[in-house]
Amino acid sequence: MNRYEIETPIWQALLGRVLADYMVGKGFDLAPEALYIPENESGSVHQLLNGGDTSPGTQSSTTTKVAQPAVQIREEMEAVILTRRRDQPDFFPADGLDYLSRHNLLLFNPQPLEPAYLHQMTDCFWSYARFPEGKVRPSRPAFMIISPFATQKLGEMSNLKPIMPGVYEYNDLLSHFMVLIIDQLLDIPENLLWFLFSFNEEKVTRALNQYVPNRPEGKLNLPTLAELYTKIGLLKP
């Protein structure tokens, strides 16, 4: 099994859980309804997060109702939504998170990031930023795309501006969003949060051993990630 055989919503759900734990005490909410998973994927996600089998073709025996945001997100946008309860800025040791706003939509793409994907997301972000009937949201959302790798073509995009190692700002006529490439980030302890999703054996092993969750329930995410990486052959059983 490789990482592409494990559905993106599973990686996205785990990223949401890890971020929810990381944001404890930093003025953010991550409610269950803020994690959007297309209906046809909810069974496998439910199984993974509750210790079941996630092999391809395995169906969940439990029906899971996954709540959706008030504004419909397109199915290709499995996303974590973070909302801030207060206005004062916070300091986030992990690179890239200082660009968060009051309302944030974060997407995890496990495949090498390509220009075509960014172009596709500009339309999705534009649609999400507006209420039905064309009304603009009161708080302009901030968007971030997170990926373990990028293709060489990504660095050739004229509208992708490097902010710091691994963190980019994308601007075009429709959208503005941040892009985070995990394998380009500085190799520092503050980025262990991201290295949990790096698909790099050495960095994943180090992050699983050294990352310290904020809550007891946050520790449950680490063995789940280790199980996934073992299934795809990145880690040894």
Side-chain angles (χ1 to χ4, degrees), residues 16 20 28-36 67-69 79-83 85:
F28 278 83
D29 289 319
L30 195 150
E33 64 270 22
L35 178 61
Y36 171 79
Q68 300 179 5
V80 170
I81 299 173
L82 292 172
T83 54
R85 295 191 302 272

Side-chain angles (χ1 to χ4, degrees), residues 114-124 157 159 170 172 177:
E114 298 188 88
Y117 181 84
L118 297 190
H119 292 318
Q120 178 189 9
M121 288 300 102
T122 59
D123 293 336
C124 295
M157 297 181 68
N159 50 356
Y170 179 94
D172 69 7
F177 54 87

Side-chain angles (χ1 to χ4, degrees), residues 10-81:
I10 290 179
W11 297 111
Q12 187 72 65
L14 280 167
L15 177 66
R17 285 194 167 195
V18 171
L19 280 171
D21 178 76
Y22 182 84
M23 293 295 183
V24 167
K26 298 184 184 297
F28 278 83
D29 289 319
L30 195 150
E33 64 270 22
L35 178 61
Y36 171 79
I37 302 167
E39 246 179 73
N40 60 344
E41 303 287 6
S42 62
S44 56
V45 175
H46 174 82
Q47 285 179 307
L48 171 82
L49 298 181
N50 291 279
D53 186 8
T54 59
S55 302
T58 302
Q59 300 296 322
S60 172
S61 59
T62 305
T63 301
T64 305
K65 172 95 173 144
V66 181
Q68 300 179 5
V71 177
Q72 180 71 28
I73 303 177
R74 290 171 56 175
E75 283 201 3
E76 62 267 31
M77 290 182 65
E78 299 90 8
V80 170
I81 299 173

